[in-house]
Amino acid sequence: MSRHLGGRLAASLAADPDIERVIGVDTVPPPRELRAGLGRTEFVRADIRNPLIAKVIATAKVDTVVHLNITALPRGSAGRASVKEMNVIGTMQLLAACQKSASVQRLVVKSSTAVYGSSSRDPALFTEETEPRALPRSGYAKDAVEVEGYVRGFARRRPDVSVGVLRFTDVIGPGPDSLLLRYLRLPVVPTILGFDPRVQLLHADDALEVLRRATLSDRGGTVNVGGEKVLLLSQLIRRAGRVPVPVPAPGLRIAGQAVRRAGLLDFSHEQLRFLEFGRVVDTTRLRTEFGYTPRFDTVQAFDDVIRSQQLALRIRPALVREAERGVLDVVRTVAAVRGG
Amino acid sequence: MGDARVIPLHGDDGSRRPRPVPAPPPEPARPDPGPIDPELLAGDRPDWERKLAGGLAFLRRRITGDYEVDDFGFDRDLTEHLLAPPFRPLYEKWFRVEATGLQHVPDTGGALVVANHSGTVPLDAVMTTLALLDHHPAHRHLRMLGADLVFRTPGLGALARKSGQTLACNPDAERLLSAGELVGVWPEGFKGIGKPYADRYKLQRFGRGGFVGAALRTRVPIIPCSIVGAEEIYPMIGNARTVARLLGFPYFPITPTFPLLGPLGAVPLPSKWYIEFGEPIDTASLDSDGADDPMLVFNLTDQVRETIQQTLYRLLLQRRSVFR
């Protein structure tokens, strides 16, 4: 809960008078800027990889567990191995604890649309039922697939617990850090030559609202959560005023390995595939059955981030407009002089 | 190992509400000059100036990313202003395409155009798209279904999506058709486009009839489309199978001019083209469960195939020569 989304969810739940008690669990205490809003939230410093979590659930008679700790972002200098350990082993421990607990009635898991992978052979939009042609084989996406597998196993063993799985697209907003923002903040943005993937985004405010509603409802099943509309990666980079550098796929693969070793970014095989084929999901179920339409679509969400100045624009739209005017004026003047 | 210790973060006053994170102050940007005055583009300006302004506006939209693409990656702005224009001379002057039966294509709503495939390079698909975009009264965009090889190929894949194509699979076809789009499919696939010159105008197998299933489920009409002329642009007299296998292509064409004359071989022969859109085959009156009835699907597939084959024979009889 010490990350952006977890902290804000705890804060909004703590503000709800119908909820008796909110307990947040994380390995590090929430940072100062989040702490202010947390209200009556209690905090347990524990690692979900550790059986201590069972004790927390038992002693506090927890009835709803929201599992947000599946992440692509290494914390600090932690490498990929420890992220994977946190994602997969942590989930197993947490589910084991929930299974033992008599009080748990509701489990919400934040997963990712990365479970669909990306390939040239998949339909343009993934529904919750689409069987992906190429399952992710590495990195965060594979963690998410494994986590969902364990969650399905849990749901089978504890049919009395309603389990909601939320598959989020890339969450973006003025607050939280994300892989996409780190990628766009690179001095120049490497893209794959000859490919322009479609990107779908979810605004952090909408992500928060979906999590809050999922926590309070008892609707089971899997839901894709993403904003409407799509942006192409090239368009995203242009809107952010960044400079793309198309690199042939093999070159980027080698560069990716170097970056990964240096621990700057988790530039895995799956992310490279994403940079080739992209991924868009169908959000009909979110809007009709779950009953929530995101307030921001992909374009609005991204513009909101640009407005918040998390990305330094290298090429400003105003400048381009000025240039456009300039060229027109010059040509007109020249034409007028020659004509007159 | 210590006990699970619950640490309250604040006194339990419960009165604190979450405070929104204060937004950073708005950037003290230079005043945006805003879009070009429409008045400046008004009629009294010379024509070249308006064209220049239009071109510059297009360039500005591209640089700032100010355009929309749909869920499939279709970029209307790019297609209309950059991708389609270079093919117009080819359509008007080189192949002198005569498109007939355009009235059979509805102005609005979903419909499935099914056509024969030929010519080694899928120029027939490009010409059909132009026929519908330029010469149909409603200027409809044809959303084509392509093989996954297209989307896997660098450059081509991105271009295909931007020009409105998507993967030939039932979910995509049905999604487009139910959204009221005009969908184009070339069910012969590589078997049709890469067939030897000796087999010209002989329709190949029509896939597995997946396109008929999609039309049945979405209850849209099927419009058979027959294209004459495309077979002769690159007469394929041989197929270098080993080269094709090495490169991962379904075929590697040998024509009288390619690879003999190198890049010159890429110039298509100027055959005279006819594109005829046939009478729509109604599916709305059929049961939508029909898609699950293999016999009905096979029969409809055959009906579409026969219609196209007969039209091809008729058009071939009518034409005076390949090039006139």
Side-chain angles (χ1 to χ4, degrees):
Chain A
M1 65 154 276
S2 298
R3 290 173 192 261
H4 181 87
L5 212 53
R8 280 179 69 192
L9 178 66
S12 94
L13 292 174
D16 186 338
D18 294 340
I19 298 170
E20 198 186 315
R21 207 170 162 194
V22 182
I23 303 174
V25 179
D26 207 327
T27 49
V28 293
R32 197 168 300 278
E33 70 267 19
L34 278 178
R35 224 177 287 179
L38 282 173
R40 62 196 171 98
T41 307
E42 297 155 73
F43 176 71
V44 180
R45 183 166 186 167
D47 190 329
I48 56 170
R49 284 172 297 178
N50 169 321
L52 201 61
I53 188 73
K55 233 177 222 168
V56 176
I57 292 177
T59 48
K61 293 206 173 55
V62 170
D63 59 2
T64 304
V65 175
V66 184
H67 179 30
L68 300 173
N69 208 353
I70 306 167
T71 176
L73 292 176
R75 185 172 263 159
S77 60
R80 165 74 197 133
S82 83
V83 174
K84 182 186 170 75
E85 172 118 352
M86 195 56 149
N87 287 345
V88 180
I89 309 297
T91 304
M92 288 175 77
Q93 282 286 356
L94 180 67
L95 292 177
C98 291
Q99 199 178 325
K100 270 270 194 280
S101 150
S103 58
V104 173
Q105 293 158 12
R106 170 79 175 152
L107 171 69
V108 177
V109 179
K110 171 185 164 261
S111 179
S112 157
T113 55
V115 298
Y116 297 116
S118 313
S119 89
S120 59
R121 290 178 299 150
D122 284 310
L125 279 83
F126 293 96
T127 68
E128 287 82 352
E129 268 73 46
T130 308
E131 298 255 332
R133 290 300 181 93
L135 273 180
R137 284 178 295 156
S138 64
Y140 161 63
K142 189 175 174 227
D143 293 355
V145 171
E146 289 182 354
V147 162
E148 283 202 12
Y150 290 123
V151 170
R152 269 194 297 277
F154 169 81
R156 252 196 324 275
R157 289 189 292 273
R158 280 291 300 269
D160 57 313
V161 177
S162 80
V163 179
V165 176
L166 305 170
R167 288 181 180 154
F168 280 17
T169 59
D170 282 293
V171 176
I172 201 167
D177 195 6
S178 81
L179 215 52
L180 185 72
L181 285 181
R182 286 193 190 181
Y183 168 70
L184 288 175
R185 262 191 231 120
L186 294 173
V188 288
V189 185
T191 60
I192 298 186
L193 185 68
F195 289 95
D196 201 357
R198 293 162 298 141
V199 180
Q200 188 179 21
L201 300 172
L202 178 67
H203 194 280
D205 291 357
D206 286 318
L208 178 70
E209 183 57 22
V210 168
L211 275 174
R212 199 185 66 79
R213 289 187 187 206
T215 308
L216 301 179
S217 92
D218 55 1
R219 199 188 162 278
T222 305
V223 185
N224 288 337
V225 187
E228 284 169 69
K229 295 194 183 170
V230 306
L231 282 169
L232 297 180
L233 183 66
S234 61
Q235 201 181 358
L236 207 81
I237 294 171
R238 287 169 190 169
R239 287 181 95 94
R242 310 298 289 184
V243 183
V245 177
V247 182
L252 203 57
R253 220 147 261 154
I254 294 165
Q257 270 171 4
V259 171
R260 191 158 59 230
R261 287 225 188 85
L264 296 172
L265 259 183
D266 180 23
F267 223 37
S268 73
H269 180 71
E270 285 315 314
Q271 269 130 27
L272 287 173
R273 288 186 68 83
F274 179 77
L275 288 183
E276 282 178 331
F277 304 115
R279 187 187 311 119
V280 180
V281 296
D282 183 315
T283 54
T284 312
R285 189 180 284 179
L286 173 73
R287 281 178 276 120
T288 55
E289 291 175 38
F290 189 85
Y292 182 72
T293 306
R295 287 196 302 120
F296 293 84
D297 64 27
T298 296
V299 183
Q300 291 162 337
F302 192 65
D303 286 350
D304 196 40
V305 172
I306 292 176
R307 266 197 303 277
S308 76
Q309 285 188 306
Q310 276 194 71
L311 287 165
L313 293 166
R314 301 243 154 133
I315 304 163
R316 291 176 184 279
L319 214 70
V320 180
R321 286 221 168 106
E322 262 171 37
E324 183 189 358
R325 259 171 189 250
V327 171
L328 258 186
D329 284 348
V330 167
V331 171
R332 274 197 190 127
T333 323
V334 170
V337 168
R338 288 185 59 185
Chain B
M1 174 132 331
D3 228 11
R5 208 155 53 82
V6 175
I7 313 160
L9 290 167
H10 299 285
D12 188 17
D13 56 2
S15 61
R16 281 188 193 228
R17 296 271 147 177
R19 248 182 323 201
V21 186
E27 73 179 65
R30 305 205 223 180
D32 192 322
I36 299 288
D37 269 333
E39 172 218 337
L40 286 177
L41 305 176
D44 56 330
R45 295 275 170 184
D47 192 40
W48 63 266
E49 209 177 301
R50 256 180 301 147
K51 271 195 183 145
L52 176 73
L56 283 173
F58 173 73
L59 212 61
R60 189 228 325 135
R61 285 199 302 275
R62 302 315 295 185
I63 293 174
T64 53
D66 186 17
Y67 48 90
E68 267 195 35
V69 295
D70 77 355
D71 287 351
F72 297 86
F74 173 43
D75 187 338
R76 192 179 289 263
D77 192 38
L78 186 76
T79 304
E80 286 177 2
H81 292 101
L82 203 68
L83 299 183
F87 287 103
R88 291 211 168 104
L90 209 59
Y91 182 97
E92 310 284 349
K93 301 277 172 1
W94 196 255
F95 296 136
R96 296 145 286 142
V97 182
E98 271 180 39
T100 49
L102 281 164
Q103 75 276 12
H104 292 312
V105 180
D107 286 354
T108 54
L112 183 68
V113 174
V114 182
N116 59 313
H117 214 6
S118 59
T120 311
V121 174
L123 277 179
D124 50 355
V126 180
M127 293 301 129
T128 312
T129 308
L130 269 185
L132 289 163
L133 184 61
D134 291 353
H135 300 275
H136 190 276
H139 302 289
R140 296 205 68 174
H141 281 279
L142 184 66
R143 310 292 302 267
M144 289 178 284
L145 305 180
D148 81 295
L149 176 71
V150 171
F151 300 99
R152 217 168 50 214
T153 312
L156 191 62
L159 217 57
R161 282 225 172 269
K162 285 179 192 182
S163 65
Q165 298 184 39
T166 190
L167 182 72
C169 63
N170 269 323
D172 280 12
E174 283 166 33
R175 191 179 290 277
L176 280 169
L177 288 171
S178 22
E181 297 282 354
L182 187 61
V183 176
V185 62
W186 277 257
E188 292 169 277
F190 293 119
K191 295 189 299 298
I193 189 167
K195 65 178 177 293
Y197 186 63
D199 288 343
R200 59 191 180 280
Y201 300 115
K202 274 185 211 145
L203 285 187
Q204 305 294 302
R205 184 167 63 83
F206 258 28
R208 280 169 275 183
F211 67 94
V212 170
L216 278 172
R217 267 187 286 269
T218 50
R219 298 168 162 270
V220 300
I222 299 174
I223 300 162
C225 171
S226 316
I227 303 164
V228 162
E231 294 274 15
E232 288 89 2
I233 55 172
Y234 300 106
M236 187 162 138
I237 50 174
N239 182 0
R241 289 219 168 75
T242 318
V243 183
R245 247 199 306 279
L246 280 176
L247 295 175
F249 297 159
Y251 56 89
F252 189 85
I254 294 170
T255 73
T257 53
F258 181 85
L260 202 62
L261 299 184
L264 259 184
V267 178
L269 298 182
S271 54
K272 166 83 181 165
W273 284 39
Y274 300 88
I275 300 179
E276 181 166 321
F277 296 92
E279 195 102 15
I281 297 168
D282 176 51
T283 59
S285 59
L286 298 166
D287 205 358
S288 71
D289 298 338
D292 300 323
D293 176 0
M295 197 46 103
L296 177 69
V297 172
F298 280 134
N299 285 342
L300 260 178
T301 311
D302 271 350
Q303 188 190 340
V304 176
R305 192 171 175 277
E306 256 332 283
T307 312
I308 296 174
Q309 183 72 75
Q310 293 309 323
T311 316
L312 284 178
Y313 287 146
R314 181 166 51 76
L315 289 171
L316 283 173
L317 278 176
Q318 282 171 1
R319 80 169 169 178
R320 284 163 297 170
S321 107
V322 174
F323 298 110
R324 280 181 56 215

